[in-house]
Amino acid sequence: MGTDRRTPVVRQLRVVVSAADYDEAVAFYGEALGLPARDAFAGEGGARVVILDAGRATLEIANPAQVAMIDAVEVGRPVSPHLRLAFEVDDAEGSTRTLVDAGAELIAAPTRTPWNSLNSRLGAPGGLQITLFQEAEPEAGADADRDTGTVPFALVDVFGEASLTGNPLGVVDLTAWEQPVDEEWLREVARELRQSETTFVLPGQEGALRALRSFTAGGVEVTGAGHNALGAWWWLLESGRVARPVPGAGPLVQWIGGRELPVLVREDGALALRQAPARLGAAVEDVAGLAEAVGLSPADIGSHPAPRVVDTGAAHLIVTLTSHAALTRAVVRKAELVGLARSVGAQGVYLAWPEAASTRGAGVAGSGEVTVHTRFFNPGAGLDEDPATGSAAGPLGALLRDHGLLGAGEQLTVSQGASMGRPSTLRVTVGDGLVPEVAGRGVVTIEGRIKAPPAKAG
């Protein structure tokens, strides 16, 4: 104990290959593949070695499911050995032909992958299996971030069908910005853009393609996956910053709120966010106090389900109402609402009126679609009212499913924001284990560049 165990500093990744036919392997990797020799040595007993420079090295660690998926994409059947080499090239098709002419066995011709690279698979000297991959062209202006001291941003109208509808979201792409970013700068930009939320897109981590952090205009960080995440992914995909996956490729993975969550691209082009399994929290016993906090009477508050906190990444108090008129009359009483939300451990208050018998025929669960009209108040985060709230629509769907009011596979259509002049439509399904998926579309209304963050102090 007490031994100084410092993290090692890795300077280079070197893959060592034992090749029975040394000259053939050197000719293949050095001449055909074009790897220049960095060093070469000869020793006693005919020992020979050459060290070829393969440029930037990375170590990819994949579990068996990932290996099986890659085999299915590149080859169509399981073929991977325990160790496989992958070389990034500028021309996958031309390089594949060159290596086949040099003696490689063609296992699979160049194939376009769901992540928009062009990959081939070859059997090569030394008993190795290799992949050649050609990445998609980098986004135009990615290097401009460093050159001009600016980063790209957009305003996306989320859950709207046209520009200037839905819930506007600021998105700032920091994936190409290589310097550490001070968290206070993120809050300052969110205050500057003055949208209900601003999302910052960061390089991926923990196996996720991108990491997202979101802040309200009041500087409060939000961790749920709703319009803040859907709008960010809508812009990333529409602008080509992230390659749109081909049908059947499976979800994209985001890191948000300290966890990995999938983003699904549906065949109709809509995006769906799978939230965390719902956790049913505290119920509100003081119905009169709740009603007063939103300017209503106790008779306006529904009892099936009763008001309750539900958390699928962000905890919100879900309150069903007895009439559409009550939903329209509700008002924001800031002090009372902030106190109420904090008393039950919620971020915001979500009011919902399900249409009478909805569109389910006779109202039988599982027979079609449930329609609700909603409003969301979160003055504690500087958000008096929100025109579309995915992080609350998921919990609403989970609560209705838990009470038998939403069937398996049945769609909950949420209408929100019309009274604010920002009509929004969210669609929710809830799977087993009370896992919601919130789906919708977006419109990129403004794009531009913003002055990049200053160097982080310290």
Side-chain angles (χ1 to χ4, degrees):
M1 309 303 289
T3 303
D4 184 10
R5 299 181 62 187
R6 293 189 176 91
T7 301
V9 178
V10 176
R11 304 295 185 187
Q12 179 188 157
L13 170 65
R14 179 173 297 172
V15 178
V16 181
V17 178
S18 175
D21 194 328
Y22 175 82
D23 290 330
E24 178 188 1
V26 171
F28 181 86
Y29 294 106
E31 297 175 15
L33 188 55
L35 305 183
R38 175 183 292 178
D39 291 298
F41 305 97
E44 295 182 0
R48 299 170 66 193
V49 63
V50 62
I51 299 172
L52 304 177
D53 191 342
R56 183 171 64 93
T58 58
L59 178 63
E60 178 177 315
I61 301 174
N63 66 6
Q66 171 71 13
V67 172
M69 187 270 287
I70 294 295
D71 277 352
V73 168
E74 291 185 2
V75 186
R77 65 185 189 282
V79 295
S80 284
H82 177 68
L83 176 67
R84 173 174 55 89
L85 301 184
F87 296 96
E88 182 178 359
V89 297
D90 292 333
D91 179 4
E93 293 182 344
S95 298
T96 299
R97 288 193 298 269
T98 297
L99 296 190
V100 169
D101 291 342
E105 173 196 359
L106 181 65
I107 298 175
T111 301
R112 182 69 58 182
T113 70
W115 41 94
N116 205 27
S117 64
L118 194 61
N119 293 22
S120 65
R121 190 74 70 91
L122 301 162
L128 292 175
Q129 191 176 112
I130 68 173
T131 289
L132 298 183
F133 66 99
Q134 177 185 347
E135 295 285 15
E137 289 295 320
E139 61 164 290
D143 292 335
D145 294 0
R146 294 180 292 275
D147 296 340
T148 67
T150 63
V151 292
F153 82 100
L155 291 182
V156 184
D157 291 326
V158 189
F159 297 121
E161 297 297 328
S163 184
L164 306 181
T165 67
N167 194 355
L169 172 76
V171 189
V172 181
D173 188 2
L174 294 172
T175 53
W177 190 254
E178 297 176 346
Q179 304 301 319
V181 179
D182 195 300
E183 184 173 291
E184 184 55 30
W185 182 84
L186 305 181
R187 300 179 192 275
E188 289 174 354
V189 171
R191 286 192 286 266
E192 179 79 9
L193 294 180
R194 298 188 64 80
Q195 302 305 313
S196 58
E197 293 168 8
T198 295
T199 295
F200 298 88
V201 181
L202 305 166
Q205 62 185 73
E206 303 290 336
L209 185 60
R210 293 288 190 275
L212 272 56
R213 295 188 68 182
S214 303
F215 295 85
T216 68
V220 177
E221 184 165 12
V222 293
T223 57
H227 110 285
N228 59 315
L230 193 146
W233 283 101
W234 189 273
W235 181 48
L236 292 173
L237 293 167
E238 183 171 287
S239 64
R241 286 173 166 80
V242 171
R244 183 176 292 272
V246 298
L252 304 167
V253 180
Q254 63 179 333
W255 180 265
I256 185 170
R259 62 199 181 284
E260 291 183 6
L261 290 175
V263 180
L264 301 99
V265 181
R266 295 189 169 176
E267 292 185 2
D268 63 359
L271 298 185
L273 304 174
R274 185 173 300 155
Q275 298 178 341
R279 293 183 297 173
L280 304 181
V284 174
E285 297 181 358
D286 183 8
V287 175
L290 165 60
E292 183 178 356
V294 291
L296 299 176
S297 69
D300 293 321
I301 307 300
S303 59
H304 183 62
R308 189 169 190 177
V309 175
V310 184
D311 185 348
T312 65
H316 295 305
L317 175 58
I318 309 300
V319 182
T320 58
L321 302 179
T322 57
S323 69
H324 189 267
L327 183 69
T328 302
R329 290 198 316 271
V331 295
V332 178
R333 292 181 173 170
K334 293 185 180 182
E336 291 88 343
L337 274 172
V338 170
L340 171 67
R342 288 177 178 171
S343 70
V344 294
Q347 293 186 22
V349 178
Y350 199 46
L351 306 182
W353 173 70
E355 288 187 0
S358 195
T359 53
R360 304 166 67 188
V364 179
S367 65
E369 181 180 18
V370 176
T371 300
V372 297
H373 299 265
T374 64
R375 295 177 68 187
F376 179 77
F377 306 139
N378 191 5
L383 184 62
D384 285 357
E385 184 166 359
D386 196 32
T389 317
S391 65
L396 170 62
L399 187 61
L400 295 179
R401 174 77 188 272
D402 185 62
H403 280 70
L405 302 174
L406 184 70
E410 197 167 45
Q411 179 173 274
L412 177 69
T413 297
V414 179
S415 177
Q416 187 178 344
S419 63
M420 303 175 65
R422 306 284 309 198
S424 308
T425 302
L426 305 82
R427 292 180 169 84
V428 182
T429 55
V430 182
D432 294 339
L434 296 184
V435 177
E437 284 187 9
V438 178
R441 308 179 69 86
V443 181
V444 178
T445 297
I446 298 174
E447 289 186 281
R449 302 189 72 84
I450 189 170
K451 187 175 177 61
K456 186 176 181 179

